[in-house]
Amino acid sequence: MTDWDALAAANARLNAFVDWDRRATGGAGPLAGATIGIKSNIAVKGLPWTAGMGTRRNVIADHDAAVVARLRAAGAIILGSLNMHEAALGATTDNAFYGRTHNPHRHGYTPGGSSGGSGAAVAAGLCDVALGTDTLGSVRIPAAYCGIWGLKPTLGAISDAGLVHLGTAFDCIGPLARDLETLARVWAVMAPGDTHGAPFASMLTLADIDQVLIQPGVAAGYERVLAAIGLPRQAMSLGDPLSAIRMAGLVESVNELAAYLGNDRAGPLVSDELKFVMNVVGALPPAPAVIARTRAALIAALGDDAVLVTPTAPQSAFPHGERAPVTQADFTSIASVAGLPALAVPAGVDAGHLPVSVQLVGPAGSEVRLIALARRIETAISGYAQPRP
């Protein structure tokens, strides 16, 4: 029996959930008893389907998204909808219409974004699993800042029916969890045809990783993971600067969002922050060639049996109100523009006891193999750390 009052009381300090479905009950199946929160750009029947936007605050979903229906059918309890960065365009989850979500590891700090409510709810133990969406890193950055596992699937592996898109060329629905076994169980329901392949035979790193300023705690976690993997290592170059790859994906996504909002983009139900981002980024020229080159280079380098290892985010979580680092998605954007799966793996904590994280990127369809590699890493370094009381 779900103790809704206890959940609401625990959530009050975090603002991770923004709507509850107190009618929710579970059923029989592989996820019987598992509690799941859903990012508010994914439809949950009977709940507000806002995508974190003021323009959609009166929209009530009349159906479950395809992935939500699949989880229900497997016995999961769908608790409600989670806060997110407005329109999924941002990585702090400081939302002008639905409030700030706080990081369970340190109150007043960002949980990341845009799936910040998903990361915070899972890390705080409000639910076993959360669904987020990832355009350029929006599952993996909250997973990194909140110290949990977050999986961005291969583009197209999961149905996006019932999703309010930011960038259709990159958007993926993915799970976040505190432990790998739960993540694996949920992934098996989300993608039942996925089977375990051969282990990775080699490891790639970025030759131009020094383009990005990486905090010392993140760098130390990255080195621990490289040593734990222990595979033959080769450095690769993507050709274009990491910042250019990120901006190419961002311009395409912003242009799609601006077209979706139409005349509403100038109205009072769009925050000043979002207007500013759309105006500045929307004035930049698209760069489809950068996206195509990155996709081709990464797919060729990975082949069938290599894994790329990078930090997930170059920094740990930072206080709400500080300017967000422009480099937040420099590493995560790589897998997004290539349409490849990527898994954020906890890699310990920094000197301030904030989580740090490493990203594993594999060939298309290698999600189960990424989870298997992450198990080896966790066995070797015990990178997961619970939030302090």
Side-chain angles (χ1 to χ4, degrees):
M1 180 72 68
T2 303
D3 189 338
W4 294 105
D5 291 339
L7 280 174
N11 183 63
R13 181 172 166 80
L14 295 174
N15 192 37
F17 279 91
V18 288
D19 290 290
W20 303 101
D21 185 0
R22 291 178 179 253
R23 306 158 301 171
T25 57
L31 297 181
T35 56
I36 301 184
I38 309 295
K39 187 176 178 179
S40 62
N41 59 348
I42 303 170
V44 177
K45 186 176 181 179
L47 294 187
W49 185 18
T50 67
M53 292 189 278
T55 57
R56 292 180 59 91
R57 61 187 175 186
N58 295 320
V59 177
I60 305 298
D62 62 3
H63 65 287
D64 279 334
V67 66
V68 173
R70 184 179 287 275
L71 296 173
R72 280 198 207 276
I77 304 168
I78 307 299
L79 295 178
S81 295
L82 294 157
N83 201 14
M84 59 181 284
H85 206 100
E86 183 183 8
L89 187 62
T92 62
T93 312
D94 190 356
N95 192 301
F97 301 100
Y98 305 100
R100 286 177 171 172
T101 297
H102 296 274
N103 193 313
H105 287 266
R106 186 162 303 161
H107 194 76
Y109 276 56
T110 176
S114 62
S115 309
S118 303
V122 169
L126 298 181
C127 54
D128 297 319
V129 180
L131 292 188
T133 64
D134 194 307
T135 305
L136 297 173
S138 287
V139 162
R140 291 161 286 161
I141 293 170
Y145 287 178
C146 294
I148 58 177
W149 282 264
L151 177 64
K152 183 204 90 70
T154 305
L155 184 67
I158 300 300
S159 171
D160 59 5
L163 170 64
V164 179
H165 279 282
L166 171 60
T168 51
F170 314 120
D171 287 343
C172 295
I173 297 173
L176 300 92
R178 281 188 310 283
D179 67 89
L180 275 167
E181 296 315 309
T182 300
L183 188 80
R185 281 199 302 134
V186 170
W187 179 248
V189 170
M190 294 174 66
D194 196 358
T195 57
H196 199 300
F200 295 109
S202 62
M203 172 171 55
L204 302 177
T205 58
L206 293 175
D208 40 10
I209 195 171
D210 291 341
Q211 293 176 11
V212 183
L213 180 62
I214 302 172
Q215 288 180 351
V218 175
Y222 176 57
E223 291 298 330
R224 283 194 296 271
V225 169
L226 292 179
I229 293 173
L231 290 172
R233 188 188 311 183
Q234 180 177 350
M236 66 162 294
S237 176
L238 291 166
D240 291 286
L242 297 175
S243 59
I245 296 168
R246 166 177 49 82
M247 286 305 301
L250 185 60
V251 169
E252 184 165 330
S253 301
V254 165
N255 288 342
E256 184 172 333
L257 175 62
Y260 168 80
L261 287 171
N263 293 334
D264 287 339
R265 63 175 293 183
L269 295 181
V270 173
S271 72
D272 290 341
E273 177 201 14
L274 184 55
K275 289 173 183 172
F276 176 79
V277 172
M278 287 192 293
N279 288 337
V280 172
V281 177
L284 301 175
V290 172
I291 294 172
R293 285 195 297 267
T294 302
R295 181 180 295 125
L298 187 52
I299 289 173
L302 288 171
D304 294 327
D305 60 3
V307 60
L308 172 66
V309 187
T310 75
T312 305
Q315 62 286 123
S316 56
F318 50 91
H320 275 303
E322 283 192 3
R323 184 182 296 275
V326 296
T327 59
Q328 280 177 295
D330 274 8
F331 295 124
T332 54
S333 295
I334 299 166
S336 296
V337 302
L340 298 178
L343 178 63
V345 177
V349 295
D350 63 13
H353 208 77
L354 290 169
V356 299
S357 176
V358 167
Q359 171 184 238
L360 309 176
V361 181
S366 64
E367 288 88 348
V368 171
R369 297 162 68 192
L370 293 174
I371 292 170
L373 178 57
R375 284 194 188 99
R376 285 178 46 197
I377 294 168
E378 178 62 7
T379 298
I381 70 169
S382 299
Y384 171 72
Q386 291 185 343
R388 289 177 167 179

